[in-house]
Amino acid sequence: MEEKKVVIQQRFQILDDKQRKEYYHAKNPTNYAIKVQVACDFCHRIAHVSECYHGSIHDITVLRESGLLKHVEESVQIIGDKGYIREEYVVTPRKKPHGRELTQDDKDFNRDINSARAAIENISQRLKTYAILGGVYRGPVDDFHKITKIIQVITASCNLNLNKHPIRR
């Protein structure tokens, strides 16, 4: 599962303080973003695209509200980053215990999880090759339904492209 941020460009004079806080995202070069969460299967296909959210919404909130957790169970789980620790049905890398080192088993587990996540990061990189996702979005930022549809079309196109040019087998 990979969180995708669509960077937005908005004239700062138009944004009031409430709007700035809603779209603020500290990890973005412009500090303002719209978030969407993308989930992939092990065949490296995009299987789920969430609705759009303001950049200030936490990743775990997007996951919980996306409906994706309804489709998981003990045998079908989600691989996520450390932002999803302690979420049921989400497998995450193990954190180093305070004042101690990770055991070799934990290191091996993290290596396996991070290897699986690398393919997801590659898909995220492929999505960014589409200019509307890889650059600054200049469309209306208040129409989340339209932005979600744009992202769904782009992810479908990316899946078709992945059929022709797979990441790895």
Side-chain angles (χ1 to χ4, degrees):
M1 179 174 38
E2 175 63 26
E3 168 203 338
K4 177 76 181 108
K5 293 161 221 73
V6 178
V7 180
I8 61 172
Q9 180 182 27
Q10 183 86 357
R11 295 229 177 260
F12 295 122
Q13 300 90 319
I14 298 172
L15 290 175
D16 61 21
D17 286 340
K18 183 178 180 235
Q19 286 174 313
R20 285 182 187 204
K21 286 179 184 174
E22 287 174 347
Y23 289 101
Y24 183 79
H25 189 271
K27 292 182 181 176
N28 244 322
T30 62
N31 288 342
Y32 296 94
I34 295 171
K35 272 188 192 178
V36 64
Q37 203 156 49
V38 177
C40 307
D41 62 16
F42 282 106
C43 296
H44 307 127
R45 305 245 188 301
I46 298 167
H48 177 81
V49 179
S50 75
E51 295 290 320
C52 290
Y53 290 85
H54 291 104
S56 62
I57 303 296
H58 194 280
D59 298 351
I60 198 74
T61 305
V62 176
L63 174 64
R64 289 175 182 155
E65 292 182 6
S66 72
L68 186 60
L69 291 174
K70 295 176 193 171
H71 304 285
V72 296
E73 55 195 51
E74 283 299 318
S75 63
V76 178
Q77 296 189 341
I78 296 170
I79 297 175
D81 60 24
K82 290 181 183 176
Y84 300 96
I85 286 181
R86 292 198 255 322
E87 183 65 29
E88 190 175 20
Y89 301 124
V90 179
V91 180
T92 59
R94 298 190 177 136
K95 287 175 81 171
K96 185 175 95 168
H98 185 68
R100 293 182 296 162
E101 294 297 319
L102 285 173
T103 65
Q104 190 58 44
D105 286 343
D106 288 342
K107 289 178 183 178
D108 293 341
F109 177 83
N110 284 355
R111 185 174 41 259
D112 292 342
I113 292 296
N114 291 333
S115 175
R117 286 190 60 241
I120 296 166
E121 296 295 336
N122 289 335
I123 291 170
S124 176
Q125 200 60 38
R126 286 266 181 109
L127 284 170
K128 289 177 185 177
T129 63
Y130 295 86
I132 196 165
L133 294 182
V136 176
Y137 175 69
R138 290 177 171 80
V141 295
D142 56 344
D143 191 353
F144 277 18
H145 180 72
K146 180 178 181 179
I147 298 168
T148 300
K149 290 296 179 196
I150 290 169
I151 293 170
Q152 288 171 341
V153 168
I154 292 168
T155 55
S157 176
C158 187
N159 269 348
L160 290 172
N161 190 358
L162 286 166
N163 287 339
K164 257 172 96 170
H165 308 286
I167 291 176
R168 59 177 145 153
R169 292 274 175 215

